[in-house]
Amino acid sequence: MQNAKGTLFVFDTFELVTEEEIHEIFNYSEKRGFSQVVFYPQHEETLRRMNISVSRPYFKRVDFLFELLQESTHEMPATIDQWEGKRKKYTPIETSLSFLTEKYPSPHFVLMNAIYADKVSGYKGFEEQMRKIRLIIKTGDHFRPNGILQKYTHRWEEWKSKEAD
């Protein structure tokens, strides 16, 4: 991947992630020419504040994701960033993005599903972060961007996925 550049951050719970979804993320990353993928599982306190429920604790979700990545046959460099797990508390999206964009090489792209994108777009600091990143929203057939996402259509793109809805 000589011309590869940029970092793809994947924000998710990773509670129900499948081998096929991991494979799909790697294929997309390779096709787009990213230099690496950073998986960013969120702590249950952050998810609770977002009104997203999970049944497994943070470290069990990280362990499951680690197993899936080890089984993957892709050569794309991948990391699971566990910073939020070390914090063990609610981490605002702008704090997470600031941390990640300082740590990993640019340009920065953030992949999240439509539910995440809808929720985080309303948070304080989101508009400032949109000036620094490109958002990739994994959607299904019924995605309708809210007003804030519509305002920034030039900073995000839709990635159609059957599993997203």
Side-chain angles (χ1 to χ4, degrees):
M1 304 191 81
Q2 288 178 319
N3 295 329
K5 65 178 184 176
T7 303
L8 176 66
F9 303 118
V10 183
F11 277 67
D12 203 307
T13 64
F14 297 104
E15 182 165 54
L16 303 174
V17 67
T18 64
E19 283 182 56
E20 293 80 22
E21 289 171 307
I22 296 295
H23 181 73
E24 187 179 47
I25 289 168
F26 280 124
N27 283 343
Y28 180 80
S29 300
E30 289 167 357
K31 188 180 346 175
R32 289 290 303 270
F34 296 126
S35 58
Q36 67 179 322
V37 178
V38 176
F39 294 90
Y40 190 72
Q42 295 191 284
H43 193 271
E44 49 269 16
E45 280 303 308
T46 300
L47 296 169
R48 185 180 62 77
R49 295 255 186 121
M50 294 173 69
N51 291 320
I52 296 174
S53 60
V54 288
S55 59
R56 294 190 299 173
Y58 175 83
F59 289 103
K60 288 200 185 271
R61 292 182 282 122
V62 168
D63 290 345
F64 178 64
L65 179 59
F66 184 74
E67 287 174 23
L68 288 176
L69 292 180
Q70 278 192 311
E71 294 169 5
S72 173
T73 58
H74 289 274
E75 294 182 20
M76 165 82 55
T79 303
I80 301 172
D81 196 296
Q82 298 181 50
W83 181 66
E84 193 161 329
K86 292 174 187 169
R87 287 176 47 85
K88 297 180 183 173
K89 60 182 180 179
Y90 167 68
T91 307
I93 188 77
E94 63 272 11
T95 303
S96 293
L97 286 172
S98 291
F99 169 78
L100 292 169
T101 57
E102 287 176 19
K103 185 174 179 180
Y104 296 97
S106 64
H108 301 110
F109 299 81
V110 178
L111 172 64
M112 58 180 57
N113 66 42
I115 294 168
Y116 263 67
D118 188 56
K119 289 179 184 282
V120 302
S121 65
Y123 294 158
K124 178 184 171 195
F126 176 78
E127 292 190 48
E128 181 181 327
Q129 291 297 323
M130 282 301 289
R131 294 183 194 110
K132 301 174 186 174
I133 63 158
R134 298 276 306 176
L135 188 60
I136 302 165
I137 304 173
K138 194 171 182 183
T139 67
D141 293 333
H142 306 292
F143 176 64
R144 302 285 179 262
N146 64 34
I148 295 170
L149 288 174
Q150 287 179 358
K151 179 179 174 182
Y152 288 95
T153 56
H154 63 289
R155 299 293 303 162
W156 64 269
E157 63 191 78
E158 187 173 356
W159 176 15
K160 284 268 189 195
S161 172
K162 291 177 264 175
E163 297 87 25
D165 268 344

